[in-house]
Amino acid sequence: MTLTETMGNDVLQENTIVCSRSSKYTVHNIIGTGNFSRVYSATVLGTGNEVVIKVLNDTCSSKRFDRKLYFKELDLLNRLKTSRLRARYVQVRDAFLLKSGKLCFVMERLGSTLHSVLHNIGPLPMAMCRPIVRQIAQGLAGLKCLGIVHADLKPDNIMFCAGTAHNFLVKIIDFGCAFDIKKVETMHHKQIQAIPYRAPEVCFRSNLDHGLDIWALGCIMPEIVTGVKLFGVAEEELLIKMILRTRPVPKSLILNLPTDSQETNLTVGWIQFQNLYADLIGQRDQQWCDDIVWFMDLVYKMLIVMPETRITAVDALAHPFLTIVHFIDYPNTVMTKKNAELMATCVLDI
């Protein structure tokens, strides 16, 4: 993708037109802001097709390091186009430079984030959780094939596709923190991943690999069905305490930690996750019970502290919760038919 300088202004404003080598875009309103960028709604001049334009913030434009990261993100987005699983990632359509030197991405317009859905609607039923998790796992499997680690997987960075039937299709977005696994040594001392989704290897400054995205997905799964962050803490120290309290941790990782490291209250999210077991007591629907058990089994496999023994994305896709193979004993139930229909919506033609 060749970058060209726009013929327009050096800032994006409502009802202005900006140009790339191949297209012109009418800029509308700002729809999102982040630490490093702003996102505007826009339409392609002539066709009216909706897109979004992402541009580097003013505060970052003079920082060479930040601009380097922005070009790295563009490179990664272009690499994603070569994946057979590219339907699981947001697609970059175009890119251009403003006169100020700011890089702009033109990307497909999607719908709501998973975060906003959980915030506005509340927890989703297990039947909806399953296809969402399957699609994310497919995306992570594709990233591993490309040697890319997302490093910032969270509900804010998972978006529902606009205009899809029942709106069950999702895509992974925001590759600003992503990195090539071949350059992993440059990431050891960076603060990656939002704290509630941060993997133990990041907290303990251990070796990083694709497993940190699987840990994040393991945190997201319970949040989808409870509506509450599994590890809803704001400080890494508290996250470490939660991990020590709730997960088996090798002694080699805790030798130099304070003796009170395991003294912390359980988060509401963890308690609600554990309450799924309590819901099984006295439950007469055996199929529903089986599904909960396999759901929790997959979460626990994703939340194994040591990344080398944590389940991979490919193995997760073969897990009973995502294949619904455990429904074979209940071939004609409403639950089986409903889940089979929902899972069929996220089949990829590859």
Side-chain angles (χ1 to χ4, degrees), residues 5 33 61 70 84 197 261 272-273 291 305 316-317 335 341:
E5 183 178 295
T33 59
S61 59
Y70 219 55
R84 296 172 66 191
Y197 311 95
S261 292
Q272 291 196 15
F273 173 54
D291 204 30
V305 169
L317 288 168
M335 183 175 178
E341 289 174 0

Side-chain angles (χ1 to χ4, degrees), residues 31-32 110-121 124 132 154-162 167 169-171 173-174:
I31 58 175
L110 298 174
S112 301
T113 66
L114 177 58
H115 170 79
S116 65
V117 169
L118 295 176
H119 177 76
N120 295 323
I121 298 178
L124 303 179
I132 291 171
K154 55 187 178 181
D156 306 78
N157 289 337
I158 298 163
M159 291 195 75
F160 289 89
C161 298
N167 205 26
L169 296 182
V170 297
K171 296 194 177 193
I173 69 166
D174 197 344

Side-chain angles (χ1 to χ4, degrees), residues 35 151-157 177 190-205 212 215-220 223 229-243 246 264 267 303:
N35 292 330
D152 195 23
L153 194 66
K154 55 187 178 181
D156 306 78
N157 289 337
C177 292
K190 301 184 187 301
Q191 290 298 306
I192 58 176
Q193 295 188 295
I195 289 178
Y197 311 95
R198 186 171 292 172
E201 55 267 33
V202 178
C203 299
F204 294 114
R205 310 298 187 261
L212 62 88
W215 175 277
L217 182 53
C219 296
I220 292 169
E223 186 173 347
K229 289 183 176 65
L230 184 67
F231 298 124
V233 296
E235 299 175 8
E236 187 176 85
E237 180 182 354
L238 294 176
L239 175 62
I240 291 174
K241 288 183 176 182
M242 272 297 301
I243 293 172
T246 59
T264 186
T267 61
L303 297 182

Side-chain angles (χ1 to χ4, degrees), residues 29-327:
N29 57 305
I30 189 167
I31 58 175
T33 59
N35 292 330
F36 300 104
S37 62
R38 288 162 291 154
V39 179
Y40 294 81
S41 65
T43 50
V44 182
L45 201 63
T47 68
N49 291 338
E50 293 185 339
V51 293
V52 296
I53 299 178
K54 180 177 178 180
V55 61
L56 193 66
N57 279 339
D58 293 337
T59 55
C60 301
S61 59
S62 62
K63 297 181 181 179
R64 183 178 180 184
F65 179 71
D66 288 330
R67 289 195 63 194
K68 184 178 179 181
L69 288 179
Y70 219 55
F71 278 96
K72 182 202 73 172
E73 181 180 359
L74 178 60
D75 176 65
L76 293 177
L77 287 168
N78 282 324
R79 282 172 60 185
L80 295 179
K81 291 182 177 181
T82 67
S83 173
R84 296 172 66 191
L85 293 161
R86 56 187 173 272
R88 296 296 175 248
Y89 321 115
V90 63
Q91 295 294 302
V92 60
R93 302 277 178 81
D94 201 353
F96 57 87
L97 291 170
L98 295 174
K99 289 182 178 179
S100 61
K102 296 175 186 174
L103 176 62
C104 296
F105 300 161
V106 180
M107 310 178 85
E108 64 177 317
R109 181 68 183 265
L110 298 174
S112 301
T113 66
L114 177 58
H115 170 79
S116 65
V117 169
L118 295 176
H119 177 76
N120 295 323
I121 298 178
L124 303 179
M126 197 70 71
M128 286 186 64
C129 173
R130 195 185 331 271
I132 291 171
V133 172
R134 183 186 185 190
Q135 292 171 81
I136 299 169
Q138 288 171 336
L140 296 184
L143 290 182
K144 187 171 183 178
C145 289
L146 293 172
I148 297 172
V149 179
H150 186 277
D152 195 23
L153 194 66
K154 55 187 178 181
D156 306 78
N157 289 337
I158 298 163
M159 291 195 75
F160 289 89
C161 298
T164 56
H166 304 298
N167 205 26
F168 293 132
L169 296 182
V170 297
K171 296 194 177 193
I172 300 172
I173 69 166
D174 197 344
F175 288 79
C177 292
F179 62 89
D180 191 311
I181 195 66
K182 294 179 181 178
K183 300 177 181 179
V184 65
E185 69 280 353
T186 66
M187 305 301 296
H188 280 285
H189 303 294
K190 301 184 187 301
Q191 290 298 306
I192 58 176
Q193 295 188 295
I195 289 178
Y197 311 95
R198 186 171 292 172
E201 55 267 33
V202 178
C203 299
F204 294 114
R205 310 298 187 261
S206 302
N207 295 330
L208 305 179
D209 64 12
H210 301 278
L212 62 88
D213 287 333
I214 293 296
W215 175 277
L217 182 53
C219 296
I220 292 169
M221 281 182 66
E223 186 173 347
I224 293 174
V225 298
T226 67
V228 184
K229 289 183 176 65
L230 184 67
F231 298 124
V233 296
E235 299 175 8
E236 187 176 85
E237 180 182 354
L238 294 176
L239 175 62
I240 291 174
K241 288 183 176 182
M242 272 297 301
I243 293 172
L244 293 175
R245 172 113 189 244
T246 59
R247 307 301 297 133
V249 179
K251 291 183 179 180
S252 58
L253 292 181
I254 59 178
L255 289 176
N256 299 321
L257 294 178
T259 55
D260 65 344
S261 292
Q262 297 187 46
E263 297 177 6
T264 186
N265 295 325
L266 293 173
T267 61
V268 173
W270 185 267
I271 292 172
Q272 291 196 15
F273 173 54
Q274 294 302 302
N275 283 344
L276 291 176
Y277 271 136
D279 293 341
L280 300 179
I281 299 175
Q283 176 60 247
R284 295 182 178 181
D285 188 336
Q286 188 58 46
Q287 183 179 10
W288 186 85
C289 292
D290 290 348
D291 204 30
I292 295 294
V293 169
W294 282 120
F295 169 83
M296 299 191 74
D297 180 77
L298 181 54
V299 171
Y300 283 132
K301 284 180 167 62
M302 290 181 174
L303 297 182
I304 292 176
V305 169
M306 301 305 287
E308 59 268 23
T309 55
R310 192 176 301 152
I311 195 170
T312 66
V314 170
D315 288 340
L317 288 168
H319 187 276
F321 178 71
L322 296 184
T323 63
I324 58 175
V325 68
H326 56 297
F327 286 178

